[in-house]
Amino acid sequence: MSGLEGSVAFITGAAQGIGAVTALRLARDGAKIAVVDLEEAATKATVRAIEEAGGSAIGVACDVSDDGAVLAAVEKTVEELGGLDIVVSNAGVTRDNLLHKMTDEDWNLVIDIHLKGSFHVARAAQAHMVPNKRGKMVFLSSTSALGKRGQTNYSTAKAGLQGMAKTLATELGKFNINVNAVAPGFVDTAMTEATAARVGMSFEDYKAQIVSQIPLGRTGRPEDVANVIAFLVSEDASYVTGQVIYVAGGPRA
């Protein structure tokens, strides 16, 4: 895929994992990238990698659960990069626990980052996309949206993002704005490695257990997800909106 030359992409949670790899992929396709994460210092490695590959990027600090911070981050992106054409809402955290052990703090943090944060980003972005009558939004959902033990907060947030994508696709379609969700399965990242540690397993043993249930016989890579996002924000997907695409090595929906 290519053809993103002149576009500006705002990618949250882009300091590492899927977000960082997506930032690199969209930069390779020609987009200028706002690498957005909680601390600007954390964005530097991704920004450097993009620049060393010949792309253009800035680092932007933003707590997506704070509406004012999101508005400021979007405005900085527009001012420094010249516009806003693409949003990838990827920022996320986990606080897994069984329902009777899950605290209000665990619930609120996960919902605020994933669900409220994506709402803030979408609302700020559409203010620039609607007048231009063009834009692409992608929300990062998960196979956990289908239900997963110990993830009441995370599963609820990820299911909510699917509803958000479908609703905004309906609302914003008349402005030529495409809104979709990508739902990864198990992807080899720092977050899934932390999950293995939390359940008391080595990462390799944990992955082996997961792989036994995946039809394609391997875990996902961040690149697998980034490639689908790259398609959805390209003109090749101009007639694709309101969809949830599972990137899970097998049928999951």
Side-chain angles (χ1 to χ4, degrees), residues 147-208:
K148 187 172 181 182
R149 186 175 187 271
Q151 289 195 324
T152 300
N153 48 7
Y154 188 78
S155 295
T156 300
K158 292 305 193 181
L161 287 171
Q162 296 187 14
M164 189 183 297
K166 291 177 180 294
T167 299
L168 295 186
T170 302
E171 288 187 16
L172 300 176
K174 65 182 178 181
F175 302 108
N176 193 34
I177 297 170
N178 301 65
V179 187
N180 293 287
V182 172
F186 186 95
V187 178
D188 197 334
T189 65
M191 183 179 287
T192 52
E193 187 170 2
T195 300
R198 188 167 55 251
V199 299
M201 296 179 68
S202 75
F203 195 33
E204 292 308 312
D205 287 345
Y206 187 63
K207 287 194 290 185

Side-chain angles (χ1 to χ4, degrees), residues 11 13-28 46 221-227:
I11 306 174
Q16 62 180 348
I18 291 170
V21 173
T22 299
L24 286 160
R25 171 60 198 266
L26 299 192
R28 190 169 77 240
T46 306
R221 299 180 291 261
E223 290 80 4
D224 295 318
V225 183
N227 291 340

Side-chain angles (χ1 to χ4, degrees), residues 30-172:
K32 295 179 283 186
I33 310 295
V35 178
V36 185
D37 218 290
L38 190 58
E39 301 290 341
E40 186 175 344
T43 70
K44 291 185 176 180
T46 306
V47 170
R48 187 183 311 113
I50 290 170
E51 292 176 339
E52 288 176 350
S56 176
I58 61 171
V60 181
C62 180
D63 175 356
V64 296
S65 70
D66 181 340
D67 184 42
V70 171
L71 288 170
V74 167
E75 290 307 315
K76 178 178 179 178
T77 298
V78 171
E79 290 173 10
E80 296 193 20
L81 297 181
L84 181 61
D85 306 287
I86 297 165
V87 160
V88 180
S89 188
N90 168 74
V93 296
T94 55
R95 291 294 184 274
D96 297 351
N97 223 327
L98 296 176
L99 179 61
H100 70 283
K101 295 180 180 179
M102 187 170 289
T103 66
D104 282 1
E105 290 75 17
D106 292 337
W107 170 269
N108 290 337
L109 179 65
V110 171
I111 296 297
D112 284 355
I113 298 298
H114 292 270
L115 202 51
K116 186 164 75 172
S118 293
F119 165 69
H120 287 158
V121 169
R123 187 171 61 182
Q126 63 82 36
H128 294 275
M129 292 177 175
V130 166
N132 293 330
K133 288 188 164 33
R134 66 185 301 269
K136 308 281 188 181
M137 297 186 191
V138 177
F139 300 138
L140 266 291
S141 180
S142 167
T143 55
S144 292
L146 303 173
K148 187 172 181 182
R149 186 175 187 271
Q151 289 195 324
T152 300
N153 48 7
Y154 188 78
S155 295
T156 300
K158 292 305 193 181
L161 287 171
Q162 296 187 14
M164 189 183 297
K166 291 177 180 294
T167 299
L168 295 186
T170 302
E171 288 187 16
L172 300 176

